[in-house]
Amino acid sequence: MTYSIGEFSKIVGLSGHTLRFYEKEGLIKVNRDENNVRIYSDENKLWIESLLHLKNTGMTLKDMKRFAMWGHMGEGTMEERLALLKNHRKKVVEELENIRQSLKHLDEKIDFYEKEVGDCFS
């Protein structure tokens, strides 16, 4: 299937402005018709979904651009992409551990205050 920028925007949940920015930054390659109008494909949809997962895990724009550039270059860059993903995963795991520790602390505070508030009404 192919989609106009308006249709594609609704499908992937990104504004046309964001899609044009992603194209300008080299994050996505978009085909164009004979009138130079952008034509998005299901392949673009899968690529955008992958990029959004990377973004949601805190990958920097710089690393997303590097990953996309290597992806567009083809199979010869698989080692570089793998190394980038492994390095990013390590950062995500560290952040998850920090969040777990903070959540534990938050739960302890909530327990403390629930006991204190409960004692006030006894």
Side-chain angles (χ1 to χ4, degrees), residues 5-57:
I5 193 168
E7 294 167 327
F8 194 70
S9 173
K10 290 176 186 170
I11 291 168
V12 297
L14 297 172
S15 70
H17 176 77
T18 299
L19 292 171
R20 286 186 290 275
F21 173 77
Y22 280 7
E23 182 183 5
K24 179 179 151 246
E25 292 296 316
L27 293 172
I28 185 171
K29 288 194 177 204
V30 181
N31 291 325
R32 293 181 181 255
D33 68 11
E34 63 278 355
N35 297 316
N36 205 32
V37 175
R38 290 173 180 87
I39 300 175
Y40 293 88
S41 66
D42 288 330
E43 185 178 319
N44 291 136
K45 180 180 179 288
L46 294 173
W47 183 249
I48 287 284
E49 288 170 352
S50 181
L51 288 175
L52 291 176
H53 283 293
L54 296 175
K55 181 181 178 210
N56 288 340
T57 59

Side-chain angles (χ1 to χ4, degrees), residues 106-119:
L106 182 60
D107 287 341
E108 290 168 356
K109 286 293 183 190
I110 289 171
D111 288 345
F112 170 81
Y113 283 101
E114 283 180 340
K115 289 175 185 167
E116 289 298 312
V117 169
D119 289 344

Side-chain angles (χ1 to χ4, degrees), residues 27 54-55 57-66 84 88 91:
L27 293 172
L54 296 175
K55 181 181 178 210
T57 59
M59 184 177 278
T60 64
L61 180 60
K62 179 181 174 182
D63 281 347
M64 287 173 61
K65 287 167 75 170
R66 188 176 300 145
L84 185 138
H88 182 64
K91 292 175 188 174

